[in-house]
Amino acid sequence: MSSSGRAEGAKERLQAAFGWVRGAAQVWPGSFRLLICALSLWITALAAPGLWALFAVPPLACLGFLCLRKHHHLGVLLIVFACLFTVQTTMLVSAQGRDEAIEMEGIAVGHSQPGDSGWSRLTVLTSTGITEVLSPSAPPDGAHVSLRTEALDDIRISNEDAHIIGAPNGLWQWRADLRLQLRHDSLASGHSGGALLPGLVVGDTEPQDARMEDDMRVVSLTHISAVSGSNVTIVSLGAGLLAGLCRAGPRTRVGVGVLTCVGYVFVVGFEPSAIRAAGMAIAVALVFLRGGGISPVAVMSSTVCILLSLVPVLATSVGFVLSVVSTAAILFVVPILLRRLSLHLSMVPTIVISALIVPLVAQLACTPVLVAIDPRIGLWSVAANALAAPAVLPATVLGFVSLVCGGLGLLGIPGLLWCAQVPAWLGSLCAWWIVAVARVCAGLPGAALDWPKPPVGTLAALGLLILLAAGLWMLVRRRVWGIPTVVVCICLTALIIVVGRTKPPADDWLVMICDVGQGSATLINLGEGAGLVVDTGKDPKPVDVCLDEGGIEDFDLVISHFDADHSAGYAGTTWSRTLHRLWVSSNVSGGADVRGVVADTGAEVVPTTRGRSLDAPGAQIEVLWPPARETAGTGRDEEADVGEETVGTKMRNEDSLVLRVELEGLSFLVPGDIGEDEQFVLAQSLEPVDLLIAPHHGSSDLAEDFFTAAGARLGVISVGENSYGHPTPRAQRAFGPVPVLRTDRCGTVAVYAHAKYSTARDCHGDEQ
């Protein structure tokens, strides 16, 4: 075909596409108009314009009125968008407030669980609307609070605890007692399902431990661990269908479903995640309870318009994107597949087909977004969702029944508090199945396979999803290219996974410096599944993965000091492993941090100090630092009255344990976070080593004499994304002309005899 012929063909296809869009707009004018409006509001919410943008509203509205006569649908679109844009901009500006610090008052209507830093995200209802505030404390929901805040991106931040002006009223107190009652009844079951049920029903995730959260995340079941759109949808639809059984009409069914949804959200909390879940639930309820004569596109677009107008901060929420994508896929794709599969698989019950294709479609639709958040892909995520799905409905319904009984019981109706325990126990049993599925699937090979990082990984996932959709469409249409297209999609996916996978260490590794982000964790191989773990990093999962890669089953744990990036992930070391002893500096052996680890793990505490040797078979381990203090054994407790600078990072860093290890001809130093003064003292008597791990993640607080005295043949810096500038150029230069490996670039580093090494990812040591 000539070039002119190809150009003509492309032009015809483009005209056909425009013709289809024009035809769709004419057949479904309302739906098309609302879809364009929703996309426009999403874009403007992301742009976050100031009040100056309101100057564009009058021209838009006037243009809309002028278009009403000849181009009615375009005119209505412009008028509706102008109105909603006005509301959105006003809410956005009022939520952000002024850049300077201001005093604000309002009612705390929701809060997130405190993060690792201890800070919470408060949802405060003020006279100007809903404002999100990052706060070091979380006042009780319903309290009238006063905060001094300043702007931080699209929210506000308060550096001081919220001042409580007024206590929650009776309604809010009843709500708090109701949530506590459900937690108490659920935990009474005595198994892991009792910890999951409060999160699944009312968003109370505090009882969930780190391992449960990680297992749920690995197999993409995080949406079950806290209230999501599916949970709210189940409750809303259940109430509406119950009204239908009482012969209520379509409008009454919808009204009952919406009112139930609003009441349910009050119990859950009015933070953006709950509002987003409620919006999606109401959209689904309208489609299914209203019956025929209503367009799913119109309902979805209207919901997005309303949510982005009233709560524009949702535009930047990953959860909102996932909710919209999954809900749209369920509303539009699932019915088509269900009809086709029901015809070809007439012997299989429809409910079984639905249980399989709903999680599959939702999971596939959300994959491009999920890999943008966490560049990993799980082979068992779809299976886990399919296996867990049958338990979500009964767990949610039973939990909600327990909630209703408990709420009425708290109002004084006799016997109902006792009755609430039965559905809570049964609901916890269903939740236990979900936790068991997550735990088993997360432990299978291929549960978390590496995927390219964004934007390459996101674009690759999106392209493969489009290719898969095209192949499935051709299969449904019985086209000859359907099977080859699906096979090509699977092969490309496998190729990307194989090329980008991390490389496991060889069996004869002696020491591994784990990639735990901005933190430190080092494994020492003592043979036959035994090892010594020095520090754990901040999060449990990375050190758990590293121990799995190293094949360590029995170990002793050394905590150099109790900064979070060295000790907070200790729980991950004990998952399916045996911890025997906990080695700590005698200067902190009686502190609250040590007592907390012992209470959680049952380890035997072994205090140590400079000059002592650790008992490890096959290895010579000498403690070079710290010297014993006269006030040893108190840890943080006796330091509580000291100023923040004294008891902060400096005090803990100078108490870091420093270990010199010799193992099968390899010598290396694990120096914790010691600073310049400590390094200078050690340099006076330090013997050379083969491997040096950089102190304090490559901080500039160093003594060059220490690096010179170590004379290492290989340097490793345990570092991750941070705002401290680690590693500094000065720290990297201090190693001298030897390879220096960084865990943020190379992944986990395994070192063998004679200072040979391998890395999880391809990288090159920086020669200084």
Side-chain angles (χ1 to χ4, degrees):
M1 183 183 292
S2 64
S3 59
S4 60
R6 286 193 295 268
E8 287 294 331
K11 184 178 180 180
E12 290 177 359
R13 287 191 292 271
L14 188 61
Q15 289 176 347
F18 278 119
W20 183 88
V21 173
R22 191 183 304 110
Q26 291 173 352
V27 175
W28 302 294
S31 301
F32 192 80
R33 182 170 60 228
L34 288 169
L35 179 61
I36 296 297
C37 187
L39 292 175
S40 302
L41 286 171
W42 205 325
I43 293 172
T44 55
L46 291 173
L51 281 174
W52 57 266
L54 293 179
F55 287 109
V57 171
L60 277 176
C62 291
L63 184 60
F65 281 109
L66 291 175
C67 291
L68 282 177
R69 181 176 296 274
K70 292 186 177 181
H71 304 283
H72 176 76
H73 300 303
L74 177 60
V76 172
L77 170 63
L78 292 174
I79 294 171
V80 170
F81 175 74
C83 295
L84 293 177
F85 178 70
T86 303
V87 176
Q88 182 189 74
T89 303
T90 305
M91 296 296 292
L92 192 61
V93 172
S94 63
Q96 290 177 341
R98 298 192 298 270
D99 292 337
E100 66 271 13
I102 59 171
E103 290 285 345
M104 60 176 291
E105 290 187 12
I107 299 176
V109 295
H111 68 275
S112 65
Q113 295 293 339
D116 295 330
S117 63
W119 287 55
S120 299
R121 187 162 174 158
L122 308 182
T123 303
V124 183
L125 179 62
T126 67
S127 58
T128 57
I130 294 178
T131 303
E132 295 292 306
V133 181
L134 196 62
S135 169
S137 67
D141 291 346
H144 189 191
V145 298
S146 172
L147 305 98
R148 184 170 181 81
T149 67
E150 56 188 26
L152 177 67
D153 296 330
D154 57 346
I155 63 172
R156 309 284 297 177
I157 183 172
S158 173
N159 293 314
E160 301 175 355
D161 293 343
H163 175 62
I164 300 178
I165 300 175
N169 58 27
L171 181 61
W172 284 98
Q173 187 59 52
W174 170 82
R175 172 186 176 272
D177 294 340
L178 178 59
R179 291 168 62 91
L180 287 175
Q181 183 68 34
L182 178 64
R183 183 196 295 186
H184 178 269
D185 292 341
S186 301
L187 292 176
S189 63
H191 51 70
S192 55
L196 176 64
L197 188 65
L200 189 149
V201 178
V202 295
D204 181 9
T205 58
E206 188 174 345
Q208 300 172 20
D209 58 28
R211 184 176 186 184
M212 182 189 299
E213 292 175 355
D214 186 74
D215 289 341
M216 302 287 279
R217 180 182 56 81
V218 167
V219 295
S220 301
L221 285 174
T222 307
H223 61 283
I224 295 178
S225 61
V227 171
S228 65
S230 60
N231 305 114
V232 185
T233 300
I234 290 171
V235 172
S236 303
L237 279 177
L241 293 175
L242 187 61
L245 292 176
C246 299
R247 298 186 178 181
R251 294 182 180 178
T252 305
R253 293 199 301 266
V254 171
V256 170
V258 171
L259 288 176
T260 303
C261 181
V262 172
Y264 189 36
V265 170
F266 169 72
V267 177
V268 172
F270 288 98
E271 56 266 18
S273 60
I275 295 173
R276 173 253 305 168
M280 295 300 106
I282 290 174
V284 176
L286 281 172
V287 172
F288 287 100
L289 294 177
R290 181 67 175 82
I294 188 169
S295 168
V297 178
V299 173
M300 276 292 300
S301 301
S302 300
T303 303
V304 172
C305 287
I306 294 172
L307 289 176
L308 290 178
S309 298
L310 298 177
V311 193
V313 70
L314 288 174
T316 58
S317 168
V318 175
F320 182 67
V321 178
L322 291 172
S323 289
V324 172
V325 170
S326 60
T327 305
I330 291 171
L331 285 178
F332 304 131
V333 179
V334 168
I336 298 173
L337 290 178
L338 193 59
R339 285 195 300 269
R340 294 282 181 176
L341 292 175
S342 297
L343 290 175
H344 296 289
L345 303 173
S346 56
M347 301 296 293
V348 182
T350 304
I351 190 171
V352 175
I353 299 176
S354 300
L356 293 174
I357 65 172
V358 167
L360 173 63
V361 169
Q363 182 70 29
L364 289 175
C366 293
T367 297
V369 183
L370 292 172
V371 297
I373 307 168
D374 183 7
R376 291 188 297 176
I377 191 168
L379 291 181
W380 309 107
S381 296
V382 174
N385 276 269
L387 290 171
V392 174
L393 175 60
T396 302
V397 172
L398 289 167
F400 187 73
V401 171
S402 175
L403 199 68
V404 172
C405 293
L408 295 175
L410 290 172
L411 293 176
I413 299 178
L416 284 183
L417 282 178
W418 181 86
C419 291
Q421 298 175 16
V422 178
W425 186 88
L426 293 173
S428 298
L429 193 61
C430 298
W432 172 87
W433 169 255
I434 298 172
V435 176
V437 167
R439 184 151 299 175
V440 170
C441 291
L444 294 174
L449 300 172
D450 292 318
W451 192 259
K453 294 183 178 180
V456 175
T458 305
L459 294 175
L462 184 60
L464 289 170
L465 181 61
I466 294 172
L467 186 62
L468 179 62
L472 293 176
W473 182 84
M474 285 187 282
L475 279 176
V476 170
R477 295 286 182 176
R478 298 183 179 181
R479 302 292 175 85
V480 69
W481 287 102
I483 294 178
T485 303
V486 173
V487 171
V488 168
C489 179
I490 295 173
C491 292
L492 288 175
T493 303
L495 179 63
I496 293 174
I497 292 173
V498 170
V499 170
R501 76 187 189 282
T502 57
K503 302 169 186 175
D507 294 335
D508 59 342
W509 66 272
L510 299 177
V511 59
M512 284 175 59
I513 299 88
C514 302
D515 179 15
V516 293
Q518 179 64 12
S520 293
T522 304
L523 311 185
I524 300 172
N525 189 0
L526 302 179
E528 298 181 354
L532 186 68
V533 180
V534 184
D535 292 335
T536 66
K538 186 176 182 179
D539 298 317
K541 184 59 180 180
V543 70
D544 172 55
V545 171
C546 193
L547 283 162
D548 282 343
E549 292 174 349
I552 301 297
E553 300 294 338
D554 294 273
F555 67 99
D556 286 354
L557 176 61
V558 179
I559 299 293
S560 65
H561 65 300
F562 283 90
D563 267 352
D565 60 342
H566 287 253
S567 63
Y570 70 87
T573 63
T574 61
W575 295 349
S576 304
R577 300 179 194 88
T578 303
L579 169 60
H580 298 286
R581 293 177 293 183
L582 172 65
W583 298 81
V584 295
S585 167
S586 60
N587 295 337
V588 297
S589 59
D593 291 310
V594 176
R595 293 196 299 269
V597 176
V598 171
D600 289 342
T601 63
E604 173 193 354
V605 178
V606 182
T608 188
T609 188
R610 183 175 61 181
R612 183 168 180 178
S613 298
L614 302 188
D615 180 18
Q620 298 178 8
I621 305 176
E622 182 183 359
V623 181
L624 303 183
W625 194 266
R629 290 204 313 262
E630 294 181 0
T631 57
T634 58
R636 292 185 189 175
D637 295 344
E638 291 187 4
E639 297 166 353
D641 297 330
V642 186
E644 186 176 350
E645 273 189 26
T646 307
V647 75
T649 304
K650 180 179 178 182
M651 176 63 76
R652 294 198 296 272
N653 287 350
E654 71 180 19
D655 266 338
S656 292
L657 285 173
V658 178
L659 306 181
R660 187 184 190 279
V661 185
E662 289 191 11
L663 178 64
E664 297 185 17
L666 178 73
S667 59
F668 54 93
L669 277 176
V670 188
D673 278 356
I674 57 171
E676 179 180 2
D677 294 339
E678 297 77 43
Q679 293 177 35
F680 181 79
V681 173
L682 288 174
Q684 310 311 310
S685 57
L686 188 64
E687 297 181 15
V689 292
D690 299 313
L691 165 68
L692 172 62
I693 301 173
H696 201 179
H697 322 293
S699 166
S700 60
D701 181 22
L702 60 86
E704 281 84 355
D705 292 347
F706 177 78
F707 289 77
T708 302
R713 298 157 58 187
L714 175 67
V716 178
I717 305 175
S718 183
V719 67
E721 184 178 349
N722 65 88
S723 58
Y724 311 112
H726 297 165
T728 62
R730 182 187 176 198
Q732 295 182 80
R733 289 194 301 268
F735 280 98
V738 300
V740 180
L741 307 174
R742 297 169 45 168
T743 57
D744 59 339
R745 296 179 179 175
C746 303
T748 296
V749 178
V751 185
Y752 310 86
H754 311 296
K756 296 180 179 179
Y757 63 87
S758 66
T759 58
R761 297 191 294 268
D762 291 332
C763 67
H764 301 282
D766 297 327
E767 303 260 348
Q768 307 301 328

